[in-house]
């Protein structure tokens, strides 16, 4: 889940099932993404509005890596990298090697930029990159601190809403999770698959759950990793002005606080050779962190403000290796009054548009149109204080992450709000990580319970998504499930391959309940 932005006030008519048969499957003309690339690219045309299939069409940018063992190929695996706002054409190639080996051997892996995002027909509310950068600079990094910053922050998002409404109001109403689930079914048809094999991480889990309930008979295999509780996402299918934001309903503030506490505990349990920010014990390291936050409130170090640093901390907890070690180095730099170097971006993949425009308004358009959030900008400060009382600094960050939804101009025209328990053709595999800074383990438990037929696989580890925080134990189970549908035994728990701040590389451990065997 990126910390993007969300809304209320939608038509709660439950979205229907399959798109009308009058919508032909899109044609995909594959060619190498760039000369010599192992990835192929294509463009799919789909209706903007599936209720009006003869109306405006939009384009989806699609990417594929063919099965590396074509003689044993099973079919196609579709992948959504989360967000909302994650461009699959960039993030699938970047993370391709993270998929289990047998999945890469036996499936073509396809991803796409969802409608509204990246290189697909995209939400873009600015006339130029400079205009977008100026808007970004008009508000505090991370979240606002103090009355003046709060007023500027709220004004900036009001301005963004106004710009977006002027640019393409029709598109804003048709970038919902339901619309994207219909697109996914069109892509399934386009490659000739009778049923869907799918992996969704983070926001991709609510997309997967939506698909599974719109097209239950089409589910062949589905892995949902780092889950969003569907009831939290939809505000329990209620359109009354919600009391809490999407992320506070999910408990993102609490799980970020718990993960940060683990980071500081494990850092303080080792030496500065392994964790640069260690103060020699967990308690001393937590105190040191609190002191650093107090110092930054009064005296930023270069551009590193208190709120900007908290945002960096939360985002840096997502990927343990090398994220946690790098974060410890930055915190130590700031502690010593040195301007820290931000994390480098991962290398750009060999695709035609490796750096598409990914403005905040893209994730906001999905989240704000789909998931109800308080519509009064003035309640966010009170919510922030309540979240800070239970979750500290991370509570402030997650509260303001969706303030833009309070003034967002559009409502999703087609929004699925349940039920979530339609029996699927095959069971779904739900993966939850115990210390996840964004999507709590309790949300994975809720997802497994709400779906009609699902098995929960626990990653007793750290970071956001098991896919990006490798556990060979998890990979063994997900690979086996994708290949032949075998579920892990009920109660199975896996561990990460490499603990945080460790030099050795222990192999992924496993503890199984329900009579499972260690594998």
């Amino acid at each position: 889940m990126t910390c993007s932005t969300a809304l209320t006030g939608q038509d709660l008519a439950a979205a229907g099932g399959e798109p009308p048969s009058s919508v032909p499957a899109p044609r995909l003309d594959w060619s190498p993404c760039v000369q010599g690339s192992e990835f192929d690219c294509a463009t799919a045309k789909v209706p903007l509005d599936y209720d009006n299939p003869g109306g405006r069409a939009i384009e989806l940018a699609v990417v594929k890596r063919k099965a590396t063992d074509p003689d044993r190929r099973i079919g196609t695996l579709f992948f959504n990298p989360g967000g909302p706002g994650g461009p699959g054409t960039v993030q699938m190639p970047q993370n391709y090697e993270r998929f289990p080996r047998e999945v890469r051997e036996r499936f073509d892996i396809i991803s796409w930029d969802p409608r509204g995002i990246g290189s697909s027909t995209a939400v873009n509310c600015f006339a130029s990159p400079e205009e977008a950068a100026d808007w970004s600079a008009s508000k505090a990094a991370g979240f606002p601190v103090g009355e003046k910053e709060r007023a500027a922050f709220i004004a900036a998002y009001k301005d963004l809403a106004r710009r977006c409404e002027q640019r393409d109001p029709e598109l804003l109403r048709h970038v919902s999770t339901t619309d994207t689930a219909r697109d996914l079914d069109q892509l399934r048809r386009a490659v000739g698959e009778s049923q869907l094999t799918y992996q969704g991480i983070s926001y991709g889990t609510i997309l997967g759950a939506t698909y599974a309930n719109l097209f239950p008979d089409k589910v062949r295999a589905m892995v949902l990793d780092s889950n969003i509780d569907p009831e939290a996402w939809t505000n329990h299918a209620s359109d009354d002005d919600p009391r809490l934001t999407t992320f506070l309903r999910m408990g993102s503030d609490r799980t970020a606080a718990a993960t940060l506490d683990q980071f500081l505990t494990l850092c303080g349990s080792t030496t500065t050779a392994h964790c640069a920010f260690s103060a020699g014990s967990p308690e001393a390291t937590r105190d040191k962190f609190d002191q650093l936050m107090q110092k930054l409130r009064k005296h930023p170090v270069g551009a590193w403000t208190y709120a900007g640093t908290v945002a960096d901390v939360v985002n840096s907890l997502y990927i343990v290796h090398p994220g946690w070690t790098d974060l410890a180095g930055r915190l130590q730099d700031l502690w010593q009054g040195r301007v820290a170097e931000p994390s480098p971006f991962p290398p750009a993949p060999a695709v035609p548009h490796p750096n598409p425009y990914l403005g905040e308004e893209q994730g906001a358009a999905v989240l704000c149109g789909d998931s109800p959030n308080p519509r009064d900008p003035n309640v966010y400060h009170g919510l922030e204080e309540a979240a800070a009382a239970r979750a500290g600094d991370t509570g402030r960050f997650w509260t303001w992450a969706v303030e833009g939804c309070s003034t967002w101009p559009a409502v999703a025209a087609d929004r699925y709000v349940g039920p979530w328990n339609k029996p699927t053709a095959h069971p779904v595999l739900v993966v939850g990580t115990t210390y996840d800074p964004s999507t709590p383990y309790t949300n994975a438990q809720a997802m497994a319970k709400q779906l009609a037929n699902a098995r929960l696989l626990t990653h007793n580890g750290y970071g956001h998504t098991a896919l990006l925080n490798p556990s060979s134990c998890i990979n063994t189970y997900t690979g086996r499930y994708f290949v032949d549908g075998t579920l892990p035994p009920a109660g199975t728990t896996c561990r990460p391959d490499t603990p945080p701040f460790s030099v050795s590389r222990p192999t992924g451990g496993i503890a199984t309940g329900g009579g499972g065997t260690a594998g």
Side-chain angles (χ1 to χ4, degrees), residues 449-474:
K449 196 172 168 188
Q450 287 172 46
L451 295 175
N453 186 7
R455 175 66 48 86
L456 177 62
L457 174 60
T458 299
H459 180 224
N460 195 353
Y462 313 90
H464 187 47
T465 81
L467 181 72
L468 303 182
N469 291 284
S471 163
S472 36
C473 166
I474 296 276

Side-chain angles (χ1 to χ4, degrees), residues 154-174:
I154 289 166
Y157 282 104
K158 274 186 183 160
D159 176 48
L160 180 66
R162 183 185 55 77
R163 291 168 185 267
C164 291
E165 195 169 26
Q166 287 171 349
R167 295 277 289 195
D168 193 345
E170 194 187 13
L171 180 61
L172 297 185
R173 295 179 63 247
H174 292 285

Side-chain angles (χ1 to χ4, degrees), residues 7 10-11 13-16 46-51 58 60 80 84-85 112-117 121 123 169-184 203 206-208 210-211 214 233 361-371 408 410-417 420:
L7 169 112
Q10 1 252 9
D11 171 13
V46 294
L48 174 70
D49 179 359
Y50 281 97
D51 292 335
I58 57 171
L60 304 177
N80 177 276
W112 76 107
D113 293 2
R115 53 172 63 212
I117 311 302
T121 300
V123 174
E170 194 187 13
L171 180 61
L172 297 185
R173 295 179 63 247
H174 292 285
V175 291
S176 73
T177 306
T178 300
D179 292 315
T180 291
R182 296 194 194 292
D183 293 343
L184 175 55
Y203 164 77
I206 199 73
L207 172 59
T210 301
Y211 183 97
L214 287 176
W233 178 261
E361 66 268 33
Q362 294 183 0
V366 181
L367 185 51
C368 296
D370 225 40
S371 182
W408 190 254
V411 164
D414 201 359
R415 175 175 163 245
Y416 187 79
V417 296
W420 299 100

Side-chain angles (χ1 to χ4, degrees), residues 87 89-90 113 117-120 351 353-359 362:
T89 60
V90 176
D113 293 2
I117 311 302
S119 296
S120 293
V351 295
H353 306 290
N355 293 299
Y357 175 71
L358 296 171
Q362 294 183 0

